[in-house]
Amino acid sequence: MLRLLIVEDEKWEREGLVDFLDWKVFGIEIAGTARDGQEGYEKALRLKPDIILTDIKMPGMDGIEMSKKIKEVLPDIKIIILSGYDDFRFAQEAISFNASAYVLKPFEENDLIPVIRKVADMCNKEREKAGWEREVVNRLNESIKRVKMNFLNEWLSGPIAKESLMEKLREFDMSINPDSTYVVVLIKCAGDQSGTLDEAVRWFTEKARDKNYLFLTEDPREKETVICYEWDETVYPMLESINSHIKENYGVSVVTGAGEKANPLNLHVSYSQAREVVKHQLFWNDYRVFRYSEIYKLQEKFMERANEFLVHGDYFSKQFILALSSANEKRVSELLGELFVYINEARGAGTNFIINFVKNIVNDIYIFIYTLHPDFTASYLYEKAWSGCTAEGLKDKMELFLKNVVGMQKNRLSHDEQTVKKVIKIIEERYMEPLSIKTIANEVFLSPNYLGSIFKNHTGKRFNEYLNEYRMEKAKDC
């Protein structure tokens, strides 16, 4: 809808103009009314109507003076002059500030309708043209933005020739100091999107812009921002200050990883380092600002005990299998806690190293449990089950896996116990017959080897040993 402001000093005429036409028929709504030129000027600036319908003769600031002042600020506004004076001077004045129409009083409905239609049509055409121009500009800007993003991605992805780099920098009106070094900083948000988080990210990005930077790119889908700063000693303290403010004022955390200093032709190295830092920090749920050199030192220190880790992996596998074989739920829980205390002390380990360390233990357990339960699902072994895991997520996945194994083992042990009781009952009732582990195994639908194994586990004796002792006891009673 177009918006109309009516300016008329006579109250009855002002109110009459409001009801003079069915304005909605022309796609117009009344935005407001004013009693004189000064009020009309103030309301025009505040309401920004599309059309002003104004009298000329008014006390104080008249319609001509008001219209000129409004046109200086809002040149596209359409002004229809109403006047009871058939005076050429007023018509000249109206032409001087490009009034859209001049209507003589008194006028009938049929006098005003064609004028309103003409002016409304002018407004609508200008709106349509402005909308089309905005769309063209937006598309052009988006195209330029995409081309620039492609260039920045290329720059950050690998080595770039100096000539090509300088050409692109000139194309996008960017400049570098060839004698300076730069650092690439990656800022990533963890957790679900929320209004608070969005607000925090906007604040972070704006604050990060305060310091002189070479470029800044954002990826809302990945919730991350990449900033390239010209290096100086204040970069890291500034990032730490921003991180602390975000935590204290928004209650959310961001991971900030910084690569090492690099010359413009090697920014890809700094970017790769920043991404490795963020990956490392997300895995350990550590939301401090970290530099690549700090992570590298931790990794070097860890390499001194990498072999020890592999030995402990074998230890944990055997201990878990031993506890699971008897469905010792308490011991399984204790081992899980011990395992992740051990893992959390190895902050220098790469994420893939820790994930593979846990996967190997799980695989050993799976091989054991599969011999007892061939139908046990292996879906947790798929690679996608481990991708994007944090240390805490690994523990949750393993805890769920162990819970399922313990549950199956309890069911199996309960079934085995009932089977052994059934075998003992057969011995007690038919001990005088030529019994063997093979004949009874056929009766309980188990293999002789498996039956012999569970029989010894529950009674502490082999089948033949138990059978012979029972026969001897019965012989004594006779």
Side-chain angles (χ1 to χ4, degrees), residues 81-97:
I81 298 293
L82 304 176
S83 175
Y85 298 86
D86 188 4
D87 190 321
F88 180 70
R89 182 176 63 82
F90 285 127
Q92 282 184 314
E93 291 270 18
I95 292 169
S96 71
F97 62 81

Side-chain angles (χ1 to χ4, degrees), residues 431-445:
Y431 67 93
M432 295 297 293
E433 298 177 14
L435 299 176
S436 70
I437 189 74
K438 185 176 181 180
T439 56
I440 294 181
N442 288 333
E443 291 186 32
V444 296
F445 306 105

Side-chain angles (χ1 to χ4, degrees), residues 405-421:
V405 173
V406 168
M408 293 192 74
Q409 276 294 85
K410 281 185 175 180
N411 291 335
R412 185 188 70 81
L413 291 175
S414 175
H415 179 267
D416 289 350
E417 185 178 1
Q418 295 303 316
T419 300
V420 171
K421 286 181 179 179

Side-chain angles (χ1 to χ4, degrees), residues 293-311:
S293 58
E294 295 173 288
I295 300 296
Y296 185 76
K297 286 177 184 176
L298 287 173
Q299 291 173 341
E300 275 194 325
K301 188 175 180 180
F302 173 76
M303 290 309 295
E304 297 172 4
R305 54 182 297 220
N307 289 335
E308 169 207 317
F309 233 75
L310 297 176
V311 172

Side-chain angles (χ1 to χ4, degrees), residues 152-182:
L152 293 176
N153 287 334
E154 179 187 355
W155 195 3
L156 294 173
S157 297
I160 185 169
K162 184 176 181 180
E163 296 76 14
S164 176
L165 173 61
M166 300 310 295
E167 181 183 344
K168 288 292 185 181
L169 290 175
R170 285 191 295 270
E171 182 180 338
F172 295 109
D173 196 24
M174 297 170 65
S175 61
I176 58 172
N177 184 347
D179 299 322
S180 294
T181 52
Y182 296 82

Side-chain angles (χ1 to χ4, degrees), residues 240-266:
E240 287 167 354
S241 174
I242 292 175
N243 255 29
S244 298
H245 181 90
I246 289 285
K247 183 67 176 176
E248 292 170 9
N249 293 275
Y250 295 94
V252 296
S253 299
V254 291
V255 179
T256 304
E260 295 302 300
K261 294 180 287 184
N263 65 52
L265 296 178
N266 290 308

